[in-house]
Amino acid sequence: MDKTFGFDTAVEEAQRAINSAYIEARSAYHGIGLVKLMGRSSGFIAMHASLSSGQVDVCLIPEVSFALDGEYGVLQHLEQLIKNKGFCVVCVAEAAGQELLQNSGATDASGNAILSDIGVHMQQKIKTHFKGIGVHADIKYIDPTYMVRACRANASDAILCTVLGQNAVHGAFAGFSGITSCICNTHYVYLPVTQVITAPKRVNHKGRMWHRCLTSTGQPDFR
């Protein structure tokens, strides 16, 4: 399916957090805006919010591995951004860089793995890095998780939900069961639920949308 209901609203709200981080970072001496967004299995919200804002210098998603330290790491790139621009904005999906963190192995009530906090980890790593090289850095960390989850649906999602709901009723009256109403290749269709839940949809790191995001941020390959 192309997208699910609530996605446009989530991206729109996430963009507000990025805009706030941008303002805070630009208003501070050597400001670094760090925003952690929802995305426990994929980086769609982080990617689309970064692309739509046009203010993000580094976007990190779980589909693309990266290194924080080293000559080609994220921290070295941030150092160059501070030197050249005087500020920068980083957007990271919550499941990004989990291989860099200690895995507790714990699960929540739904059986999902409890992720380590990449946002707090990066905040501390950035502080330590800039302190170690003797450069002042003012880090503005924003975690808008519940603001993104709990906001009212925007007009686009409200209309989408209405149409999907109507189509679901039409499907039920037509005798279908075990199906979901969705958009696929811009068309409203019914898909079997068993097929939909086979695997989570993930960002294609070789696809055009991710490369559009990279063009917007101007970030290198952090590996």
Side-chain angles (χ1 to χ4, degrees):
M1 62 179 68
D2 297 347
K3 65 178 179 179
T4 187
F5 59 87
F7 180 74
D8 284 349
T9 303
V11 171
E12 191 173 299
E13 195 66 24
Q15 186 181 317
R16 297 183 202 276
I18 291 174
N19 291 342
S20 297
Y22 171 81
I23 293 170
E24 286 290 335
R26 189 164 188 178
S27 301
Y29 175 65
H30 285 180
I32 299 177
L34 175 60
V35 182
K36 185 184 78 172
L37 296 177
M38 294 166 57
R40 65 172 295 111
S41 60
S42 62
F44 284 104
I45 292 177
M47 177 178 69
H48 281 79
S50 296
L51 183 58
S52 62
S53 74
Q55 298 167 334
V56 173
D57 298 290
V58 176
C59 178
L60 304 173
I61 60 175
E63 291 86 349
V64 180
S65 60
F66 59 90
L68 288 177
D69 301 300
E71 183 181 357
Y72 302 105
V74 174
L75 297 175
Q76 181 65 33
H77 184 59
L78 296 184
E79 189 179 324
Q80 289 300 315
L81 288 170
I82 290 298
K83 181 180 178 180
N84 298 331
K85 287 179 57 179
F87 72 96
C88 61
V89 177
V90 180
C91 177
V92 56
E94 62 179 319
Q98 289 298 303
E99 66 276 6
L100 305 175
L101 308 173
Q102 185 174 0
N103 185 0
S104 66
T107 58
D108 60 19
S110 300
N112 298 313
I114 296 178
L115 302 176
S116 300
D117 198 327
I118 185 64
V120 173
H121 178 72
M122 286 194 63
Q123 181 186 28
Q124 295 303 319
K125 289 285 287 185
I126 294 170
K127 280 183 179 179
T128 303
H129 176 79
F130 280 91
K131 185 177 181 180
I133 61 174
V135 176
H136 172 78
D138 192 350
I139 304 167
K140 311 292 186 180
Y141 178 49
I142 298 177
D143 180 356
T145 301
Y146 290 103
M147 292 176 63
V148 173
R149 289 178 57 171
C151 61
R152 183 181 178 87
N154 64 13
S156 173
D157 275 325
I159 294 171
L160 176 60
C161 286
T162 299
V163 176
L164 293 181
Q166 291 172 348
N167 288 349
V169 173
H170 291 317
F173 272 100
F176 293 118
S177 63
I179 54 99
T180 183
S181 172
C182 62
I183 298 179
C184 184
N185 294 329
T186 73
H187 296 283
Y188 289 101
V189 299
Y190 299 126
L191 293 178
V193 172
T194 52
Q195 292 298 313
V196 172
I197 65 174
T198 300
K201 188 174 181 178
R202 293 171 62 82
V203 172
N204 179 6
H205 66 277
K206 296 182 180 179
R208 297 177 75 178
M209 188 59 74
W210 175 241
H211 284 281
R212 290 187 184 108
C213 185
L214 294 180
T215 300
S216 175
T217 63
Q219 69 192 61
D221 185 0
F222 298 118
R223 288 177 289 181

